[in-house]
Amino acid sequence: MFWQMAVFNKILKDCRGGIGTAVLAGILCAAVCLHAAAYWVRQEAEENSRRILRRQLQFAVQALAKAGFEYGSMPEGGINLPPQKLQPGNYTLKAGIFEENTSGGIKKYTVQAEAGGETFALQQLQIALPQQIAELGKRYTLAAGKSLQGAENLPEGSFSFTPDEKTLLYTIQEEGPKDGPDMLRILEPNDRLPGFRNRYLIWRYDLQTGLYEQLTYGHNNTFINDVSADSRYLLFSTNEQDYTSLPHSSNSMYKLDLQSMAVDTLWERAKYINGATFSPDGKRLMVFGSGNAFDNIGLNIKEGQISNTYDGQLFLYDPATRKAKALTKDFNPNVTSAQWNKFDGQIYMLTEDQDYQRVYTCNPANGKIRRLDLPEDVIYNYSLAEAAPVMYYYGQSVSNANRLYSYNTKSKKTQLIYDLSADKLKDIQFGEVHDWNFTSTDGTIIQGRYYLPPNFDASRKYPMIVYYYGGTSPTNRALEFSYSMHMYAALGYVVYTLNPSGTTGFGQEFAARHVNAWGDKTADEIIQGTEQFCKEHSFVNPKKIGCAGASYGGFMTQYLQTKTDLFAAAVSHAGISA
């Protein structure tokens, strides 16, 4: 390949436009590409063979290790697997676990696996038996005649249990390749970020045998999406960047049989899909994405609009037929998360519902959606029982901190468990909060609210702060967040916040107004709303109005200064900078 490249470069340097020369260069270029392609195909095939071989070796050693545990004390001569043929490569596998010596009542064992004349060390196979480790890699100790009751010497890293609680699933970070000290090659814009070349791969740790086994390989990160209720199947995904078309990334989803290690590819390089979970019976998937997913079946926008991918939609997917169904196409709230409950079969959805954060249920059989009547304005999280009609949740409202509740999903009754406000806010005085909406020039009702200082006096003139969304998420009614409206009101300001066009939680069409609008419509609505608010509320000093926003709101703060002199002060948090 290298001589072909050298000749190719020489021809290009000497080329004076002749057709024959150009044809020759093209032929050589094609030869180079074919040679390179063949090389990488061969490399990939060899790597796949090695992966399969490693997998078979791991299962062989797993069987041996389990046998060692069951015996408690190793039988004389150890345990051997009968020689067996392995594919690919027609290898013969020999494996065994052998007693080395006994010292102080502790037996030491060696586990070896050999295939094709190559001995595989335990460190290569990444086996970590939950015993006292005498020597990392090859030697492990186990008290003779005693069974293992707890898991000791667990691998490092974060993990989650499978539903049967027999296995731990790890996501392990592997360090990526590094450039030499003299030159830094930037593969793509994100390669400038620390850790971009590192990869996250999935491992499992068997709590019964101690086998620590790698499940996924490759140059892409792999992500655990879910494990089926019977613990047999692992749903995992990979993402790939594509800067040439929206949404600049794609999702591939795989179903791995944790017994046979067979992989079912559910979809590859699909656009606008974020993740998926199993249904309680494992026969269907609940898929998270935006309206464009599955060939736009969930899209609900006007002609000419581009969807706002921050507006979340839910889909049902049948792995048997490879068909999907949109669940929330005509549902205006933005679905931020969801759980498919085993007890009643309902899907519980946490949503941005205008400036509220609410929980809804969706019946997957008929698509009917119902809002749960819960007392707080902003529900932050919830947990559902698998075998009872019970849900616990917590949330807060515009003038109170978090409260914890239980909710009976059958009787629809709520019970307060703990009120954090009773301790945190017992000596705090809040001003009043009022909703205030206006109609924009195009006839759209723009939702908002305002906060008054404690001990408010309507005869006075107050300075005002105007706050607006960042990242198109609505400014919700929570008391506590980075920019607490009550905090500014306590300093003597009137605070006005609004959710202009482009905000999620008001329907797909409303959210899509943000895309490719470059802030123009949003800025106009902020200006119009502020001017209208001042006209209707004489207690605002129109010469002392400030504006503030973060992220996209930081950009909006900067952009507003180019469109109006309405604001006497402006704060841009994490906006565009040089």
Side-chain angles (χ1 to χ4, degrees), residues 48 71 99 127 185 266 278 378 386 404 425 453 500 545 549 575:
N48 284 336
Y71 279 108
E99 179 180 325
I127 297 173
R185 181 188 179 195
L266 301 178
F278 285 108
V378 178
E386 291 187 355
L404 175 66
L425 305 177
I545 303 174

Side-chain angles (χ1 to χ4, degrees), residues 10 159 165 197 211 227 278 418 450-451 533:
K10 175 65 174 173
F159 60 83
E165 299 184 355
R197 299 187 184 185
L211 179 67
V227 180
F278 285 108
Y418 180 67
Y450 63 94
Y451 297 69
F533 188 90

Side-chain angles (χ1 to χ4, degrees), residues 55 58-59 62 125-127 202-206 211-215 261:
R55 182 79 66 227
Q58 288 169 338
F59 277 114
Q62 179 182 16
L125 293 175
Q126 294 295 318
I127 297 173
I202 302 170
W203 294 67
R204 72 172 169 184
Y205 181 87
D206 190 315
L211 179 67
Y212 185 40
E213 178 184 14
Q214 187 171 354
L215 298 179
M261 304 310 293

Side-chain angles (χ1 to χ4, degrees), residues 40-89:
W40 288 113
V41 168
R42 186 168 62 254
Q43 288 290 101
E44 183 68 19
E46 292 176 357
E47 176 60 23
N48 284 336
S49 297
R50 288 192 293 270
R51 291 173 187 169
I52 295 173
L53 175 59
R54 284 197 298 267
R55 182 79 66 227
Q56 292 168 316
L57 287 169
Q58 288 169 338
F59 277 114
V61 177
Q62 179 182 16
L64 291 168
K66 185 175 181 180
F69 281 124
E70 290 173 350
Y71 279 108
S73 59
M74 191 63 56
E76 186 175 353
I79 302 173
N80 282 283
L81 277 183
Q84 54 182 303
K85 293 289 186 180
L86 296 179
Q87 296 293 335

